[in-house]
Amino acid sequence: ARRRFDVAFARIRQEFTAKFRLLFDGGEADLVHQENGVRIEAVPPGKNTRALSLLSGGEKSLVAIALVLAIFELNPAPLCVMDEVDAALDESNSLNFSRLIVEMSRQVQFVLVTHNKVVMEAAELLHGVTMREPGVSRVVGINLQQADELLQQQSG
Amino acid sequence: ARRRFDVAFARIRQEFTAKFRLLFDGGEADLVHQENGVRIEAVPPGKNTRALSLLSGGEKSLVAIALVLAIFELNPAPLCVMDEVDAALDESNSLNFSRLIVEMSRQVQFVLVTHNKVVMEAAELLHGVTMREPGVSRVVGINLQQADELLQQQSG
Amino acid sequence: MNLREIKIAGFKSFMTPTSLQFTPQVSAVVGPNGCGKSNVVEAIRWVLGESSAKALRAARGPDVIFSGTDAHKPMGQCSVELVFDNSDGTIGGGYAAYSEISVRRQMTSDGASVYAINSRTARRRDVQKVFRGTGLGARSYSIIEQGLAAQLVTAGPESLLEQIEEAA
Amino acid sequence: MNLREIKIAGFKSFMTPTSLQFTPQVSAVVGPNGCGKSNVVEAIRWVLGESSAKALRAARGPDVIFSGTDAHKPMGQCSVELVFDNSDGTIGGGYAAYSEISVRRQMTSDGASVYAINSRTARRRDVQKVFRGTGLGARSYSIIEQGLAAQLVTAGPESLLEQIEEAA
Ligand SMILES: Nc1ncnc2c1ncn2[C@@H]1O[C@H](COP(=O)(O)OP(=O)(O)OP(=O)(O)O)[C@@H](O)[C@H]1O
Ligand SMILES: Nc1ncnc2c1ncn2[C@@H]1O[C@H](COP(=O)(O)OP(=O)(O)OP(=O)(O)O)[C@@H](O)[C@H]1O
Ligand SMILES: [Mg+2]
Ligand SMILES: [Mg+2]
């Protein structure tokens, strides 16, 4: 069991660093196995703050995405469902995220719940969920333009 | 002290219900003082789920905004600074939020950190924070169109 | 292997039977706040055997059955079915021969669940067995719920250690 | 009373002295992830007397001083100044006569802080006294940090009771 953890940890650590660098266009990241657990180290490119706490909300989000996808790669399923992991990302980080998803989609089928237009553009298929009648959900297949209207409906 | 809590609680409760109904265009909400603390009840219009936990991410966000602003009204300062409270809101809820802010801004000066275009449109003044040089922040006064470009820079 | 279709009937806000069809690559689920997107994600976890009500934002099991609105009465049962294309034989064992595998769960308001694999009644552990080795499961990293990622990063070193041990 | 200007020098990512000017109504602070927006909010809390490093996402007090980048050396001190228009006399007491009130805090890398009100040296509690009764303060509901609102709703009844008791 100890051996299996070491193998798993080494794999996750490697994947985490790789995905971090893809999402941040550089920078340094690592996972450190210490006595009290596993500590995350992450430094966006050009910055030098080692403390994870000092990172911004969006930066922490991106680190989190690198981490969950690294753990995913340990037992890569044919399907990955992600619910609004991109909520705090600005446009540039959203683009990096969607590029990584498109790259990984050569082996993995993705279902992404999102409000993010950049991420929607990476999808081949959009499922529009609506609640025209309060409390009752319905689903309709839509394209990007309809998605825009769907998200603007109920406005005003 | 007991008396002061009761007065405060009654005030917050009233404000919470009022702001909830403004943000949700209806619905019911209340704060209940029980033995183990203060419980939040919130039901969006037309729905009937009493359990707060079953609400969506965006709905919980909107309930949270109603709550923080209700507590704010207890000791209303001339200034209110909010950091990305609107991150999970869709376009329609963002509009309701910005309308409430504009209404309250007749007595309160607001500084809103946001990525949300609908909320930006409610501001008279935009401060664009940039980091052209990694790790070094600078601020420039910008208009809505420049904000668009600022948020798209570093893309691609 | 890939997911072809989800059929949801009576689960949470999906009062009317609803079908979502998927492509093998990237799909997005979009819509306003509170319209039911996370409910779709939870439906997938639920049919794969999620047994904790709390993990589905509910207090008790039957809370996931459509509980009615101002205009509609509550329902007495709900069901979710997943249909997978297995023509590449990813799912092995007893179902390796099937090019299509469907998994279904139905719950009645007393909280009792009935599972089915390719229309034959099964137990929850049979469903979990089908997906063993594929990396898919209610608690695997193949389903990342709203807020999980952020929580992983802020939770602290002991928490992360546990998560990695569990995944290993 | 309203906020006219914030001057930030050396606080977190604001290496170069920076000034933000405000209108009496609604201002928005915008920009990409990690560019420094939340740092501005924390600068306001800090100058109003925030003494907990953790509340500013830091481990120790001096962590809020610009710590350098690949291209720049760390700084030895930082300061934040707020300038308020008090022509409506909202701030009473000893400063009621001033139509403009400025509050400044400077910290050196040994962690020692020096406060000033209208350029005269003051103590932290003098600064807090200036704003007493106005509803403004490092820990008041006038400054709502990133994530606070969501946390309030999910934290549970005891937590919310404490928050309300504190506000009362
Ligand atoms: N058993 C149930 N019966 C009827 N409606 C339910 C039930 N359980 C949950 N709901 C409703 O489902 C809604 C939440 O849906 P969901 O969490 O899927 O929203 P969402 O689309 O993910 O929104 P967001 O973008 O805000 O995250 C709530 O408004 C809730 O009232
Ligand atoms: N003492 C310091 N010296 C230099 N840089 C610092 C210091 N403390 C924090 N930073 C940097 O400030 C950045 C975070 O800024 P901030 O939290 O204000 O971002 P933000 O604009 O709010 O982003 P988001 O939109 O993602 O919330 C981090 O990248 C961090 O490296
Ligand atoms: Mg959701
Ligand atoms: Mg921030």
Side-chain angles (χ1 to χ4, degrees):
Chain A
R2 169 74 209 198
R3 175 96 197 104
R4 199 176 62 173
F5 173 86
D6 288 346
V7 168
F9 181 73
R11 175 83 205 277
I12 291 172
R13 195 179 159 208
Q14 178 181 18
E15 286 289 344
F16 174 62
T17 305
K19 300 221 181 312
F20 176 94
R21 294 181 57 93
L22 282 170
L23 291 168
F24 277 88
D25 292 325
E28 296 300 326
D30 202 0
L31 296 176
V32 183
H33 187 192
Q34 334 175 128
E35 267 193 39
N36 66 331
V38 174
R39 192 183 83 240
I40 303 168
E41 286 190 350
V43 185
K47 297 184 176 179
N48 81 348
T49 24
R50 295 225 72 87
L52 196 71
S53 62
L54 286 170
L55 291 186
S56 82
E59 289 170 332
K60 281 173 182 154
S61 244
L62 214 52
V63 170
I65 291 169
L67 186 56
V68 292
L69 289 177
I71 300 177
F72 171 83
E73 294 281 29
L74 189 66
N75 298 309
L79 170 68
C80 184
V81 182
M82 305 179 96
D83 193 347
E84 284 193 49
V85 294
D86 52 35
L89 302 183
D90 63 25
E91 201 142 337
S92 158
N93 286 330
S94 303
L95 206 58
N96 283 14
F97 169 63
S98 67
R99 280 201 196 122
L100 177 61
I101 295 302
V102 168
E103 173 66 19
M104 289 178 68
S105 72
R106 297 194 285 169
Q107 289 113 23
V108 180
Q109 178 188 23
F110 280 98
V111 177
L112 307 174
V113 177
T114 186
H115 286 284
N116 190 310
K117 300 229 169 76
V118 170
V119 173
M120 283 181 219
E121 284 164 23
E124 280 98 22
L125 191 60
L126 296 182
H127 299 98
V129 186
T130 65
M131 238 188 207
R132 293 210 175 266
E133 191 185 351
V136 180
S137 296
R138 290 189 170 83
V139 184
V140 61
I142 58 178
N143 59 38
L144 268 171
Q145 179 160 333
Q146 290 166 318
D148 248 2
E149 295 161 8
L150 172 69
L151 293 170
Q152 297 207 27
Q153 94 187 187
Q154 306 169 11
S155 296
Chain B
R2 171 70 209 203
R3 176 96 196 104
R4 200 175 60 174
F5 174 85
D6 288 347
V7 168
F9 180 73
R11 175 83 205 277
I12 291 171
R13 193 179 162 209
Q14 177 182 19
E15 287 289 344
F16 174 62
T17 304
K19 301 219 182 310
F20 177 93
R21 295 181 58 94
L22 282 170
L23 290 167
F24 276 88
D25 291 325
E28 296 300 327
D30 202 359
L31 296 176
V32 183
H33 187 193
Q34 331 174 129
E35 269 194 37
N36 66 331
V38 175
R39 191 183 84 241
I40 303 167
E41 287 190 351
V43 186
K47 298 184 176 179
N48 81 349
T49 25
R50 293 227 73 88
L52 196 71
S53 61
L54 286 170
L55 291 186
S56 80
E59 290 171 330
K60 281 173 182 156
S61 244
L62 213 52
V63 170
I65 291 169
L67 186 56
V68 292
L69 288 177
I71 301 177
F72 172 83
E73 294 281 28
L74 189 67
N75 299 309
L79 171 68
C80 184
V81 183
M82 305 179 98
D83 192 347
E84 284 193 49
V85 294
D86 52 36
L89 302 184
D90 63 24
E91 200 140 337
S92 158
N93 286 330
S94 303
L95 205 58
N96 284 13
F97 169 62
S98 66
R99 280 200 196 122
L100 178 60
I101 295 303
V102 168
E103 173 67 19
M104 289 177 68
S105 72
R106 296 194 286 169
Q107 289 114 23
V108 182
Q109 177 188 22
F110 280 98
V111 177
L112 307 174
V113 177
T114 186
H115 286 285
N116 189 311
K117 300 230 170 74
V118 170
V119 173
M120 283 181 218
E121 284 165 24
E124 281 97 24
L125 192 59
L126 296 183
H127 300 98
V129 187
T130 66
M131 238 187 209
R132 294 210 175 266
E133 192 187 350
V136 181
S137 295
R138 288 187 171 82
V139 183
V140 60
I142 57 178
N143 59 37
L144 268 172
Q145 180 162 332
Q146 289 165 319
D148 247 2
E149 296 161 6
L150 172 68
L151 294 169
Q152 296 207 28
Q153 90 187 188
Q154 307 170 11
S155 299
Chain C
M1 169 175 101
N2 59 72
L3 177 68
R4 265 226 193 102
E5 183 181 11
I6 303 174
K7 299 183 206 168
I8 308 181
F11 183 87
K12 290 208 166 188
S13 55
F14 285 86
M15 179 184 84
T16 37
T18 304
S19 160
L20 289 89
Q21 321 252 341
F22 292 87
T23 69
Q25 284 105 18
V26 183
S27 308
V29 177
V30 304
N33 293 134
C35 69
K37 307 179 297 293
S38 295
N39 293 348
V40 173
V41 176
E42 290 175 331
I44 298 173
R45 292 183 67 167
W46 183 76
V47 70
L48 293 177
E50 180 57 70
S51 51
S52 152
K54 192 150 175 282
L56 301 171
R57 291 177 290 166
R60 296 178 298 100
D63 288 351
V64 304
I65 300 173
F66 177 75
S67 59
T69 66
D70 292 353
H72 297 279
K73 304 215 291 313
M75 290 169 64
Q77 66 178 33
C78 68
S79 69
V80 175
E81 181 174 358
L82 299 183
V83 182
F84 291 92
D85 173 343
N86 187 42
S87 38
D88 64 1
T90 305
I91 291 178
Y95 292 95
Y98 292 86
S99 64
E100 194 171 278
I101 294 181
S102 97
V103 175
R104 185 174 185 275
R105 176 179 182 179
Q106 177 168 325
M107 176 187 267
T108 40
S109 48
D110 59 1
S113 284
V114 176
Y115 289 84
I117 302 171
N118 285 357
S119 306
R120 301 179 64 181
T121 303
R123 296 156 306 178
R124 176 169 165 264
R125 60 176 171 271
D126 298 323
V127 169
Q128 292 175 320
K129 205 149 152 257
V130 166
F131 294 103
R132 191 154 301 152
T134 64
L136 252 182
R139 288 299 175 87
S140 69
Y141 270 77
S142 51
I143 304 179
I144 297 160
E145 79 235 32
Q146 200 163 358
L148 172 71
Q151 198 204 355
L152 251 199
V153 159
T154 52
E158 311 87 47
S159 217
L160 186 51
L161 178 63
E162 287 174 21
Q163 288 287 334
I164 294 180
E165 284 174 332
E166 216 168 300
Chain D
M1 171 175 101
N2 59 73
L3 177 67
R4 268 225 191 104
E5 183 181 10
I6 303 173
K7 301 183 206 168
I8 309 180
F11 182 89
K12 290 206 166 188
S13 54
F14 286 85
M15 178 184 83
T16 36
T18 304
S19 161
L20 289 88
Q21 320 250 341
F22 292 87
T23 69
Q25 283 108 16
V26 183
S27 308
V29 178
V30 304
N33 293 135
C35 69
K37 308 181 296 295
S38 295
N39 292 348
V40 172
V41 176
E42 289 174 331
I44 298 174
R45 294 184 66 166
W46 184 75
V47 69
L48 293 177
E50 180 57 68
S51 50
S52 152
K54 193 154 176 283
L56 302 170
R57 291 178 290 165
R60 295 179 298 100
D63 288 351
V64 303
I65 301 172
F66 178 74
S67 58
T69 67
D70 292 352
H72 296 280
K73 303 215 295 307
M75 289 168 65
Q77 67 179 32
C78 69
S79 69
V80 174
E81 181 175 359
L82 299 184
V83 182
F84 289 93
D85 173 344
N86 187 41
S87 38
D88 64 0
T90 306
I91 292 179
Y95 292 95
Y98 292 86
S99 64
E100 195 173 278
I101 294 181
S102 96
V103 176
R104 187 174 184 275
R105 176 179 182 180
Q106 178 169 324
M107 176 186 269
T108 40
S109 48
D110 60 3
S113 284
V114 175
Y115 290 82
I117 302 171
N118 285 356
S119 306
R120 301 180 65 183
T121 304
R123 298 156 304 179
R124 176 169 165 263
R125 58 175 171 273
D126 298 324
V127 169
Q128 293 174 321
K129 205 150 152 254
V130 166
F131 295 102
R132 190 154 301 152
T134 64
L136 253 182
R139 287 300 175 88
S140 70
Y141 270 78
S142 51
I143 304 178
I144 298 160
E145 77 235 34
Q146 198 163 358
L148 172 70
Q151 197 202 358
L152 252 197
V153 160
T154 52
E158 311 89 48
S159 220
L160 184 52
L161 179 63
E162 287 175 20
Q163 288 287 334
I164 294 180
E165 284 175 333
E166 216 167 301

